[in-house]
């Protein structure tokens, strides 16, 4: 927790609780920290007489205490959400900055606030009033996730080349066959590879086994013939980088983009996460039931997985309309 040196103690305690008791990932803890830090900076700006040009990111929050937090009302929360929707910009130095962040980003920040106040009111009982308890999340526009077709997936795999060809090919095969997250792939160790499955540590440090077929096994074996000759700084890691470290999420992002470009695909439209979507769609196309796909992907909520059934419904409709018989009018005159 040394990296959160500028936290007030009450926020540090919350982060430590989620790290040690709830067992949440370092990424989740970092997101809580950034979202709540922004909220507290906004509250300090609203409550104190600061110069008009004060940058939100420059406001210290270390002196915030429980009394300050207790004084925050639902109206204050609404002000913060309004600021996010209308005045916050992700790139203030741009020539023409875009103001207002997306509903999904606002929802994430509200989720952090809800978790924080639940901790204070329910878990530790330091507060009796919860100003965010009844607040609804911003309405999100539901859209179908992008994914590669079977032909595009084959083209992607065929296009892999370069000095790390076996490694990159194995990574893409795992994404397309197993549908794991980028962070989960980076966290894989040599001991997580079994004959026909991977042991994956997902969100909240929850473990699951994800099975793969013979082609994926062959791709992993081909890579392991190279990997076993190397010594990495973290020699437990399944995938290493060219500088001898465990591969990073940024490096995985870059190698996926490189392969997409080599395959002649639009790298701005697809990513490692879209390969996860592709795996889920292929599973459903192959007749796997949605509950099983939920377990493979590591989704806590079945509703998260069910969006892929909408993709399947869309594809079935397109397939039906593509049938030549659908264009013939059999009705009697």
């Amino acid at each position: 927790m040394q990296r959160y040196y500028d936290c007030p103690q009450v926020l540090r305690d919350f982060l430590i609780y989620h790290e040690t008791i709830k067992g949440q990932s370092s990424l989740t803890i970092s997101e809580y920290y950034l979202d709540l830090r922004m909220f507290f900076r906004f509250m300090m700006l609203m409550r104190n007489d600061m110069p008009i040009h004060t940058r939100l990111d420059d406001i210290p929050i270390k002196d915030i205490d429980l009394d300050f937090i207790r004084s925050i009302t639902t109206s204050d929360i609404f002000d913060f959400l309004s600021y996010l929707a209308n005045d916050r910009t992700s790139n203030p130095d741009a020539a023409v900055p875009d103001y207002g962040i997306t509903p999904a980003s606002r929802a994430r920040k509200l989720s952090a606030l809800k978790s924080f106040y639940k901790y204070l009111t329910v878990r530790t009982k330091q507060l009796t009033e919860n100003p965010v308890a009844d607040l609804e999340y911003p309405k999100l526009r539901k859209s179908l996730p992008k994914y590669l077709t079977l032909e595009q997936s084959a083209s992607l795999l065929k296009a892999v080349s370069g000095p790390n060809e076996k490694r990159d090919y194995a990574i893409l095969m795992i994404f397309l066959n197993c549908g794991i997250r980028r962070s989960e792939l980076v966290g894989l160790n040599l001991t997580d590879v079994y004959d026909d499955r991977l042991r994956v540590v997902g969100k909240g440090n929850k473990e699951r086994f994800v099975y793969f077929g013979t082609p994926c096994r062959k791709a992993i074996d081909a890579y392991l013939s190279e990997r076993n000759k190397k010594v990495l700084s973290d020699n437990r890691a399944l995938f290493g980088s060219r500088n001898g470290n465990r591969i990073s999420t940024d490096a995985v992002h870059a190698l996926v983009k490189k392969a997409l470009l080599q395959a002649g695909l639009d790298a701005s439209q697809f990513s490692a996460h879209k390969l996860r979507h592709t795996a889920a769609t292929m599973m459903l196309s192959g007749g796997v039931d949605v509950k099983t796909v939920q377990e493979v992907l590591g989704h806590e909520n079945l509703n998260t997985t069910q969006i892929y059934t909408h993709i399947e419904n869309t594809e079935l409709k397109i397939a039906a309309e593509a049938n030549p018989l659908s264009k013939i009018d059999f009705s009697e005159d």
Side-chain angles (χ1 to χ4, degrees):
M1 284 294 165
Q2 289 296 321
R3 59 192 180 280
Y4 304 129
Y5 64 92
D6 59 344
C7 275
Q9 188 61 46
V10 64
L11 179 52
R12 284 176 60 85
D13 291 344
F14 166 76
L15 297 174
I16 291 170
Y17 167 78
H18 276 273
E19 181 180 55
T20 59
I21 305 301
K22 299 288 284 184
Q24 293 190 309
S25 69
S26 58
L27 178 61
T28 299
I29 302 301
S30 179
E31 288 175 346
Y32 277 147
Y33 163 68
L34 294 172
D35 291 341
L36 292 170
R37 184 181 66 175
M38 181 188 294
F39 171 68
F40 285 134
R41 284 173 168 173
F42 175 81
M43 288 306 306
M44 289 290 285
L45 183 64
M46 294 296 100
R47 294 288 181 87
N48 294 284
D49 186 16
M50 294 185 178
I52 191 169
H53 296 299
T54 300
R55 283 169 45 91
L56 193 69
D57 295 344
D58 295 334
I59 298 174
I61 60 169
K62 197 168 184 178
D63 292 335
I64 285 177
D65 57 17
L66 196 60
D67 286 336
F68 183 93
I69 295 169
R70 187 180 289 111
S71 71
I72 294 171
T73 66
T74 301
S75 179
D76 293 324
I77 307 293
F78 279 130
D79 286 341
F80 176 62
L81 294 175
S82 176
Y83 160 74
L84 295 176
N86 299 294
D87 301 315
R88 183 67 181 174
T89 176
S90 57
N91 187 10
D93 297 325
V96 183
D98 288 329
Y99 290 96
I101 62 176
T102 65
S105 296
R106 302 201 305 272
R108 193 192 84 175
K109 288 169 174 52
L110 180 56
S111 178
L113 284 168
K114 283 180 175 285
S115 295
F116 181 64
Y117 276 99
K118 183 178 181 181
Y119 162 80
L120 291 175
T121 55
V122 178
R123 303 300 179 202
T124 61
K125 301 189 184 331
Q126 296 179 72
L127 297 181
T128 57
E129 299 293 329
N130 184 343
V132 296
D134 298 324
L135 291 189
E136 297 178 354
Y137 286 99
K139 188 173 182 179
L140 303 181
R141 182 177 65 85
K142 292 185 178 180
S143 59
L144 297 180
K146 287 183 169 57
Y147 61 97
L148 296 175
T149 64
L150 181 60
E151 293 75 17
Q152 288 173 326
S153 299
S155 297
L156 179 67
L157 292 168
K158 290 177 182 177
V160 178
S161 62
N164 296 306
E165 180 177 338
K166 290 183 178 179
R167 183 201 67 180
D168 295 355
Y169 186 83
I171 286 174
L172 293 174
M173 283 291 283
I174 289 173
F175 277 140
L176 290 169
N177 281 268
C178 302
I180 66 176
R181 300 177 178 93
R182 185 168 44 150
S183 59
E184 293 170 346
L185 181 129
V186 167
L188 287 174
N189 291 325
L190 289 165
T191 53
D192 292 327
V193 181
Y194 295 79
D195 287 341
D196 58 354
R197 63 198 183 277
L198 296 171
R199 173 185 164 273
V200 177
V201 180
K203 289 185 175 181
N205 289 325
K206 292 181 180 177
E207 296 182 8
R208 69 185 189 279
F209 281 99
V210 181
Y211 288 79
F212 49 72
T214 301
C216 191
R217 175 76 251 186
K218 288 181 178 178
I220 294 172
D221 286 342
Y223 164 67
L224 285 175
S225 67
E226 291 184 351
R227 167 65 183 88
N228 291 331
K229 299 174 185 176
K230 298 179 179 179
V231 177
L232 304 179
S233 59
D234 180 356
N235 212 38
R236 301 170 303 164
L238 175 58
F239 293 109
S241 64
R242 61 184 177 184
N243 58 7
N245 297 321
R246 180 185 290 270
I247 198 168
S248 67
T249 54
D250 286 344
V252 172
H253 174 78
L255 74 86
V256 170
K257 293 292 185 181
K258 176 186 174 185
L260 288 165
L261 289 170
Q262 288 174 329
L265 298 169
D266 188 347
S268 67
Q269 294 296 310
F270 299 107
S271 62
H273 196 65
K274 298 301 185 292
L275 301 187
R276 174 171 160 85
H277 293 167
T278 300
T281 305
M282 288 184 179
M283 289 177 207
L284 287 167
S285 297
V288 180
D289 67 89
V290 69
K291 182 66 177 175
T292 301
V293 175
Q294 176 194 5
E295 294 177 7
V296 171
L297 297 180
H299 286 158
E300 268 192 34
N301 195 319
L302 186 61
N303 289 337
T304 308
T305 315
Q306 284 178 329
I307 189 170
Y308 298 107
T309 63
H310 300 314
I311 294 174
E312 286 306 296
N313 291 339
T314 301
E315 289 191 335
L316 289 171
K317 183 175 185 296
I318 293 171
E321 291 175 348
N323 189 321
L325 290 176
S326 69
K327 297 175 173 62
I328 300 175
D329 185 1
F330 292 98
S331 62
E332 295 182 1
D333 293 334

